Amino acid sequence: MEASAVRAATGSPSVAADLPPLRLSGRAASVREVLAEGVEVTPPPGAEGNGSTVEPVDALVLTNLANGRWLTGFSGSAMVVVLTADDLLVITDGRYATQAPAELEAAGVEGRVVIANRGSEQQEAAATAVSGLGRLALEADNVSWSRYRRFAGEWFAGAELVPSTGVIERLRRRKSPEEVARMAAAAAAADGALAEVLPRLAERPTEGEVAAELDHLMRRRGASGSAFDTIVAAGENSALPHARPGPRRIEPGDLVVIDFGAIVDGYRSDMTRTVCVGEPRPPGGKVYEVVRESQQAGVEAVADGVSCADVDAVCREVIGDAGWGEAFLHSTGHGVGLDIHEAPSLSSRSDEVLAAGEVVTVEPGIYLAGSGGVRIEDTVVVTGDGCRRLTCSPKTLVVA
Ligand code: ZN
Ligand code: ZN
């Protein structure tokens, strides 16, 4: 399996070639507008009052790496980003002395990079940037207890710290054409890898071998890595929505759920296909047809202005009508981008509405414990009157 894979992939063109440049220069201004108008402030659990309020702040302190990357283009693994009305400061350490300024410049971002290895030096840079400011928003869902104590007691000791949620995440929902191009390239790497692997399932590989092969082939096509831990789940394992690939061999008649994606320039794809070597054992074929119909109905429901809960309801209705409503164990989909799971959520509990430019998954499934499961998933970009699929692998149950 390995040798033939290397030969076949050698001539594959890289999906990461010829991507349009990602220019982020306008993002700081849009965040500054939000800071002036008001950010969502969430009181700590148990606090009095009626939930969150919207309050203006003087600065935003980012510790979430994906949010920092979205704003500045810097892709390092350690950063604190401070955005004020007239300053954008990226604090990181000596490992990124070359990379951080280069990435800001490549993205057209006007900002300062401070390289400091000692906590006291980082603290001084941050304190200077916010000196004289009153209210600073922290990312409530990201700051650890120990970091909060350091921020409150040392870094930002003179300021009022407020817990904000979703400030950058809301802005990240709509992707620019350049971001969509990266996600389409990631999806293409995954499509190509799957097409190469499927004919070899008849050789009875283990789940783990197929997962490793997909990861390898996506990289051969220009992906920098896998979007998340690749799922390959055969037979009874396919009834576990988040199974881990193991030593089980793929046998004729097994339903095989394959859920995976690639990363290209930080942006992810997400796709699930369910396949079978030969005809599936009953009721596999019937389950597949129902999920296929549900997924298609969900994709057809996606459009600008449609509520996320409605897309979920469309998928759920098809599965419920077939009598398997209880076996659809998760929500219908999620946003994708720099993170594999981001806003919005396509669930019955969501009060969000889809907008053109958002990239979401549609992935209904039916899971019959002890027997098997089916999930089918596409990543789609919302358009004015519908959506466009980024993941394009055929939906054919019987392979090899
Ligand atoms: Zn997936
Ligand atoms: Zn997904």
Side-chain angles (χ1 to χ4, degrees):
M1 195 161 176
E2 182 64 15
S4 62
V6 169
R7 270 200 305 279
T10 302
S12 307
S14 170
V15 296
D18 300 326
L19 288 172
L22 201 51
R23 306 293 288 178
L24 311 180
S25 52
R27 288 183 174 173
S30 39
V31 180
R32 285 182 176 119
E33 267 176 41
V34 174
L35 302 188
E37 283 168 16
V39 301
E40 186 178 347
V41 174
T42 311
E48 290 187 24
N50 296 321
S52 59
T53 53
V54 174
E55 302 174 25
V57 294
D58 300 316
L60 177 64
V61 178
L62 298 179
T63 45
N64 175 301
L65 297 177
N67 286 344
R69 180 176 187 163
W70 179 88
L71 182 62
T72 69
F74 173 47
S75 64
S77 63
M79 73 180 88
V80 176
V81 177
V82 181
L83 181 73
T84 70
D86 49 19
D87 197 7
L88 172 56
L89 175 65
V90 177
I91 302 170
T92 185
D93 62 64
R95 293 172 296 170
Y96 297 111
T98 304
Q99 179 185 329
E103 287 185 332
L104 262 68
E105 191 182 344
V109 169
E110 276 184 46
R112 298 187 293 131
V113 175
V114 168
I115 304 292
N117 288 337
R118 300 167 69 94
S120 58
E121 293 165 359
Q122 297 196 348
Q123 175 191 334
E124 193 184 324
T128 306
V130 302
S131 109
L133 300 182
R135 316 183 76 208
L136 316 183
L138 300 186
E139 295 181 289
D141 295 332
N142 185 265
V143 179
S144 67
W145 175 252
S146 60
R147 197 165 211 180
Y148 172 74
R149 287 173 51 126
R150 216 175 312 131
F151 281 170
E154 300 168 6
W155 286 46
F156 308 117
E160 178 195 358
L161 301 182
V162 298
S164 71
T165 48
V167 178
I168 301 291
E169 285 83 348
R170 264 187 285 279
L171 295 169
R172 278 171 54 186
R173 283 175 55 165
R174 279 193 194 222
K175 273 67 179 178
S176 67
E178 294 77 19
E179 289 177 296
V180 172
R182 282 152 177 78
M183 300 179 73
D191 283 332
L194 185 65
E196 197 167 329
V197 161
L198 286 183
R200 300 205 299 275
L201 294 190
E203 298 165 20
R204 298 180 62 248
T206 68
E207 296 168 339
E209 284 167 349
V210 174
E213 194 68 6
L214 287 168
D215 294 343
H216 171 77
L217 290 171
M218 289 191 289
R219 281 180 176 256
R220 292 298 299 247
R221 284 169 168 75
S224 64
S226 303
F228 54 93
D229 287 349
T230 295
I231 295 170
V232 177
E236 67 285 353
N237 293 342
S238 63
L240 310 169
H242 271 194
R244 284 205 184 83
R248 190 193 189 288
R249 290 198 178 277
I250 292 169
E251 304 286 356
D254 286 340
L255 290 171
V256 185
V257 170
I258 303 175
D259 186 355
F260 70 117
I263 305 176
V264 169
D265 197 21
Y267 286 84
R268 290 159 206 263
S269 69
D270 191 2
M271 173 171 76
T272 308
R273 292 293 181 265
T274 301
V275 297
C276 185
V277 176
E279 289 297 326
R281 289 181 293 278
K286 173 70 179 153
V287 173
Y288 187 87
E289 283 314 309
V290 172
V291 174
R292 176 104 168 71
E293 189 188 330
S294 166
Q295 203 264 349
Q296 180 156 347
V299 169
E300 284 170 4
V302 169
D304 180 273
V306 172
S307 86
C308 293
D310 283 352
V311 177
D312 181 85
V314 163
C315 287
R316 218 162 281 285
E317 186 180 352
V318 174
I319 291 175
D321 286 351
W324 279 308
E326 297 290 307
F328 182 3
L329 300 174
H330 49 73
S331 57
T332 287
H334 53 87
V336 194
L338 288 169
D339 285 318
I340 187 60
H341 292 133
E342 50 180 69
S345 167
L346 276 66
S347 94
S348 60
R349 298 176 305 279
S350 172
D351 54 6
E352 307 279 2
V353 173
L354 293 170
E358 295 183 345
V359 178
V360 298
T361 69
V362 178
E363 51 177 305
I366 294 175
Y367 308 92
L368 306 175
S371 146
V374 172
R375 177 166 66 256
I376 301 173
E377 172 182 31
D378 283 311
T379 299
V380 304
V381 53
V382 182
T383 61
D385 55 358
C387 68
R388 178 166 66 86
R389 280 178 219 263
L390 300 182
T391 46
C392 301
S393 292
K395 291 169 186 131
T396 312
L397 174 61
V398 178
V399 296

